[in-house]
Amino acid sequence: MTKKQKFNTVKLLDKIEVIGNKLPHPVTIFVLFTLAVIILSHILYIMGVSVSFRGVNNETMETEMLTVEAISLLTSEGIAHIFSSVVNNFTSFVALGPVLVAMLGVGVAEKSGYISAIMTNTVSKAPKKWVTPIVVLMGVLSNVAASVGYVVLIPLGAIIFLGFKRHPLAGLSAAFAGVSGGYSANLIIGTNDPILAGITTEAARILNVDYVVHPTDNWFFMFASTFLIVVIGTLITDKLVEPKLGQYFPTDGASAKQTSITPLEKKGLRWANISILLTMIALALLVIPENAPLRGEGGSLASSPFMSSIIFIMMLIFLVPGIVYGMITKTVRSDKDVANLMASSLETMAGFIVLIFFAAQFVALFNYTNLGTIIAVKGAGVLEAIHLDGVFLLVAFIVITTFINIFIAADTAKWAIMAPIFVPMFMQMGISPEVTQVAYRVGDASTNIISPLMPFFPLVVAFAQRYGKENGVGTVVSLMLPHAIAILVIWTIFFIIWFLLGIPVGPDTSLTY
């Protein structure tokens, strides 16, 4: 790329950044959308808009032809509903409780230093030929603890590559590709899963009031996707990004560092990992035996206390080793410290809680007015008329999500807007909410790494500038664009193959509705 091309790229991205920064805060966007729902509901009510479709009668629980009419929020009854339902809309929002409970455990593990230590130890001890895949893998796995990957692993990836006398920006790009490009993939259930599942559940209940999407319902696909993202990230880093960068000559303050954990931290890791093993054994005894207390009726695991308690189990799996590690490394000295770490982790969720309050009002009022059902049925009719269905419909949805993601980077905020429209619409087309959620996650993650509007993008640029003051937005985008294109194309193809083969995306899930 010539200097002129680089200048033009940076100039274009700067314009996009300026436009993006002028967009309202996501909270304001939800307020505006809620006002739009209020006005639109009254217009459709006056027009007498209604739709008929085959669905589940919530009273008889039988499938039959149903007729739904638009309900106005500007009648006396509608206005009363707006004011009287605010608290219940917020406290009953499905995504709220699970993520706060999970963060009690994840927060202790993160803030005691356990997660940071295990990532540092794993990456720094990797053999040279395995450095890239290990960095990408740890990046993918780091999304279980929300933002820790951005803050810890991305700069660590650059330092590790520098320690192996490789270009630090190649390490930064590999870590960034794993942390953000593969954000939804993981080997275990992360904090993002219950949030998205909760929003999808709310959207699915527009058509079926008893429908539930569990945090584990995308696990099969995301587990397999983890290895796919690692392969993509490794090949792009080693074959395209690093050769393009050439040899790196350290500048002041950017000399190679040997990153490793201290003997005390190693001891903490050892005992923390032992505590995880013991916790898993204890949980297994509550699940595996035929008459175990966490099994369901007839010994079932699909509909069982085990599945219902997955969030609490996830909390324990992070809480126990976090406490053990903290006690050994002295970051936890008493029960007061544990409570303080929990409180501190919830403080980081303050912005999420505020956002959820307004998102909950939008989703609840959207459902109350029947706008979701009307749009879903009408939209499904249009899609049927143009014969766009099945896999082509899902690919189109991935492309739409990818485009929107460049301008609205917050995945949960974006899904809270999109889910009430697309989930019931696709249900009308015979596609299950779980599959729609997977398609959303593929499109959402792919362009995170090239969006200057993504909240952590400026932080990544700052990390890049440690290795050259001239490195800016254009530098990072040019590094990450090959990753973004490869992840989007290959992950979409992988999703198509998965869907066509009829493989469930999670335990006890269906591809069709």
Side-chain angles (χ1 to χ4, degrees), residues 113-148:
Y114 172 64
I115 291 179
S116 176
I118 200 169
M119 287 197 302
T120 303
N121 188 54
T122 302
V123 175
S124 63
K125 294 175 68 174
K128 187 174 182 178
K129 66 178 181 178
W130 290 103
V131 168
T132 305
I134 291 294
V135 167
V136 178
L137 176 62
M138 294 306 295
V140 174
L141 298 183
S142 72
N143 69 56
V144 75
S147 61
V148 67

Side-chain angles (χ1 to χ4, degrees), residues 207 380 384 389-390 393-394 423-433 435-436 499 510-513:
L207 293 186
E384 286 178 339
D389 56 10
L393 182 64
L394 290 168
V423 169
M425 183 186 297
F426 286 10
M427 289 169 72
Q428 286 288 301
M429 301 293 292
I431 297 173
S432 72
V435 171
T436 304
F499 183 79
S510 173
L511 299 180
T512 59
Y513 175 76

